[in-house]
Amino acid sequence: MMGAKVKTNHEKGSIVPLPYKRKVRLLLWGGAYKTNDNFTFEWTVRKVVKDYKARDQNKYEVISKKIESASDLLAALNGQEDNSIRSLDLFTHGGPEHFYMVSVRSDRDGGLNNFRWYRYIFHNRSFPRSDLGKVKFSKFTENAKVEIHGCQTAKHPKDENNIAADFSRRLYSAGKTKSAVIGHTTNIAPNINGAKTTDKEQDYRHGERAIFKNGQLVRLTLQRMALDEEKLSQ
């Protein structure tokens, strides 16, 4: 079920207006082995898209795209224009060392495919921290906001030793000095209102989140929903 709990020629002398290229809000989701997990990612993305559009008033181009593998993620990021990604929201399974994306599914469940360790060993196309070196960080704006909605991508925040902190360090090194990266310090589910959460209410923007700039922990927050982007860029 959708939302189950668990991106001319012109004459001489004429004036040709150049098209205005808006900055991009990029929302990438998917890569889970379970179909219902991908439905949940898609459902929660729709809510974030709605929030962005209501707040931005058409200021940015909003792109939502399903991804299934590390190569899909890299293509979606590196295919953007330089200095164009104002925000990135990534909805995948995760951990402090990886974004987990499984590109191969069994035609039917059962047997060893019921075991998570088997699926992620033999069907995995995960994105380890080392793959951040393949990202073209020139694609992000100076004040880019990156929010990673997977579990534990900011685990051990005070040690600053996780994929979220590393992402922010690489952004800063690329000259994106006002950028920030947000990740969850614990496991996270979209039940923002507890057991009573409806499908339409599902949202990963709750629980403890860590905010990193240049690889350093700025603060931990329990604030729900969107964070203030102006404060993040300061």
Side-chain angles (χ1 to χ4, degrees), residues 2-19:
M2 179 70 77
K5 291 179 176 63
V6 274
K7 321 226 288 295
T8 64
N9 294 325
H10 62 280
E11 296 179 0
K12 183 178 180 180
S14 66
I15 298 176
V16 179
L18 296 176

Side-chain angles (χ1 to χ4, degrees), residues 121-136:
I121 289 175
F122 295 101
H123 301 290
N124 194 35
R125 292 293 184 274
S126 67
F127 188 103
R129 284 171 65 173
S130 60
D131 273 1
L132 289 173
K134 301 176 183 178
V135 175
K136 296 180 180 179

Side-chain angles (χ1 to χ4, degrees), residues 2-3 7 25-31 37-53 62-67 88-92 147 149 190 199-205:
M2 179 70 77
K7 321 226 288 295
R25 291 201 183 278
L26 191 59
L27 299 96
L28 306 178
W29 58 273
D37 288 3
N38 288 320
F39 282 159
T40 299
F41 291 149
E42 182 180 16
W43 194 264
T44 55
V45 164
R46 290 180 182 182
K47 184 175 181 183
V48 178
V49 167
K50 184 178 180 180
D51 289 350
Y52 277 144
K53 289 184 176 181
V62 180
I63 300 174
S64 171
K65 182 177 179 62
K66 183 178 181 181
I67 56 175
L88 167 66
D89 285 84
L90 180 62
F91 297 78
T92 68
E147 186 149 9
H149 300 276
D199 287 348
K200 290 184 178 181
E201 291 172 338
Q202 289 185 87
D203 202 308
Y204 288 100
R205 295 173 295 175

Side-chain angles (χ1 to χ4, degrees), residues 87-102:
S87 66
L88 167 66
D89 285 84
L90 180 62
F91 297 78
T92 68
H93 288 307
E97 297 291 329
H98 293 79
F99 305 140
Y100 292 112
M101 287 162 281
V102 184

Side-chain angles (χ1 to χ4, degrees), residues 164-228:
D166 201 4
F167 202 123
S168 72
R169 187 178 299 110
R170 290 173 183 267
L171 274 171
Y172 192 93
S173 296
K176 314 306 177 179
T177 56
K178 295 183 179 180
S179 62
V181 177
I182 303 107
H184 286 280
T185 63
T186 62
N187 287 336
I188 189 67
N191 55 339
I192 189 170
N193 295 321
K196 297 181 179 179
T197 304
T198 66
D199 287 348
K200 290 184 178 181
E201 291 172 338
Q202 289 185 87
D203 202 308
Y204 288 100
R205 295 173 295 175
H206 66 102
E208 185 178 72
R209 291 182 282 176
I211 302 171
F212 297 98
K213 297 175 73 71
N214 190 22
Q216 299 178 343
L217 177 66
V218 175
R219 64 185 172 96
L220 298 172
T221 181
L222 291 173
Q223 179 181 330
R224 291 153 56 97
M225 306 297 288
L227 302 178
D228 190 319

